[in-house]
Amino acid sequence: MLIEATGRDTASLFAALGDRTRLSLLTKLSDGKTRSIAGLSAGTDLTRQAVTKHLRVLEEAGLVISSKVGRESQFAFRPEPIDEIRAYLDSVSQQWGDALSRLQAFVET
Amino acid sequence: MLIEATGRDTASLFAALGDRTRLSLLTKLSDGKTRSIAGLSAGTDLTRQAVTKHLRVLEEAGLVISSKVGRESQFAFRPEPIDEIRAYLDSVSQQWGDALSRLQAFVET
DNA sequence: CATAAGGGCAACCTCCGGGTTGCCCTTACT
DNA sequence: AGTAAGGGCAACCCGGAGGTTGCCCTTATG
């Protein structure tokens, strides 16, 4: 199936990563440890609410998953969407590589 | 780490890719062929101006480069930033991988 | 030369994203 | 029991992103 170049929600995935705060949250969580909202807000100059909103964005993008444990909700990294991004990058750079090859073949002919 | 002039931070790179229109423009250009603004606007329901703005964003992110040829400005794909994105993804999934390894080691102990 | 094609610039509009504050509910702790 | 900690919800503010329109300049093309 020759996918349409721009995968359905690839853009929203990139968009979810297109924010320093979210990128930082995701980086923290990428160590596999689970963290609460308060835990993730600590050390930040942001409000809990702000962090909450960012986490929701990450969750809707599938980059993070949450579950309530007692009175707090624990967030965990979810690596699957990363592969989708890699797939897009690969498709783009493969096209580019092909173009280079053809160019080189042309020059060498 | 010295940042190259055209190099932006990772978040803005992701942000530049976090838009369907830009993603589509970039995908078209990733075949290595050069295109004018009018050429990229054709077939789109967008105004030339809209496309121009998007191209500027892509250019500031270093994902595209432009040069004036006669009365038109030609845009070309620029693959370097893609590597920066890959680097981030790798760092994140490596941390994740390490976490999995430690977990497995713990279980097997 | 006259005119169309390709673009740049600037003003303007609308809407959403990031962030805050205030209030209230539930869960833990002593 | 009483209180503090963790969070959800909703309202609100502000700035910038995406898009348009209008005008003008430059370069091709007849």
Side-chain angles (χ1 to χ4, degrees):
Chain A
M1 159 180 64
L2 192 62
I3 343 110
E4 78 179 63
T6 55
R8 244 291 262 139
D9 43 17
T10 305
S12 359
L13 254 179
F14 279 119
L17 295 172
D19 179 280
R20 289 186 112 77
T21 303
R22 285 196 293 269
L23 220 47
S24 143
L25 288 174
L26 200 68
T27 304
K28 288 182 188 171
L29 286 174
S30 68
D31 68 355
K33 295 178 186 170
T34 239
R35 283 171 182 82
S36 70
I37 296 182
L40 286 168
S41 307
T44 308
D45 57 343
L46 290 176
T47 311
R48 259 190 15 242
Q49 300 306 323
V51 174
T52 300
K53 284 193 179 181
H54 284 299
L55 286 173
R56 241 192 264 290
V57 173
L58 288 174
E59 186 168 23
E60 283 176 8
L63 286 161
V64 131
I65 192 176
S66 74
S67 58
K68 278 191 181 171
V69 178
R71 78 179 155 186
E72 50 188 30
S73 49
Q74 293 289 332
F75 284 80
F77 178 63
R78 190 168 166 279
E80 283 82 354
I82 301 292
D83 296 332
E84 186 175 338
I85 295 183
R86 279 222 178 80
Y88 173 77
L89 296 183
D90 288 346
S91 78
V92 161
S93 32
Q94 199 208 336
Q95 267 204 93
W96 175 256
D98 291 350
L100 286 190
S101 303
R102 284 192 299 274
L103 178 60
Q104 194 169 21
F106 173 76
V107 171
E108 288 176 350
T109 303
Chain B
M1 174 200 306
L2 191 61
I3 305 179
E4 54 180 304
T6 49
R8 289 297 180 191
D9 59 295
T10 309
S12 5
L13 254 179
F14 279 119
L17 295 172
D19 179 280
R20 291 197 148 67
T21 303
R22 285 196 292 270
L23 220 46
S24 145
L25 289 173
L26 201 68
T27 304
K28 287 182 188 171
L29 286 174
S30 68
D31 68 357
K33 296 179 186 171
T34 239
R35 284 172 182 81
S36 71
I37 296 182
L40 286 168
S41 307
T44 308
D45 58 342
L46 290 176
T47 310
R48 255 189 324 107
Q49 300 305 323
V51 174
T52 299
K53 284 192 179 182
H54 283 300
L55 286 173
R56 240 190 265 290
V57 174
L58 288 175
E59 186 168 23
E60 284 177 8
L63 286 161
V64 132
I65 193 176
S66 74
S67 59
K68 278 190 180 171
V69 178
R71 76 179 157 186
E72 50 187 31
S73 48
Q74 294 288 331
F75 284 80
F77 179 63
R78 190 167 167 281
E80 284 82 354
I82 301 292
D83 296 331
E84 187 174 336
I85 295 183
R86 279 221 179 81
Y88 172 77
L89 296 183
D90 288 346
S91 79
V92 161
S93 31
Q94 199 208 333
Q95 266 204 92
W96 175 256
D98 291 349
L100 286 190
S101 302
R102 282 192 300 274
L103 178 61
Q104 195 168 21
F106 171 77
V107 171
E108 289 175 351
T109 303

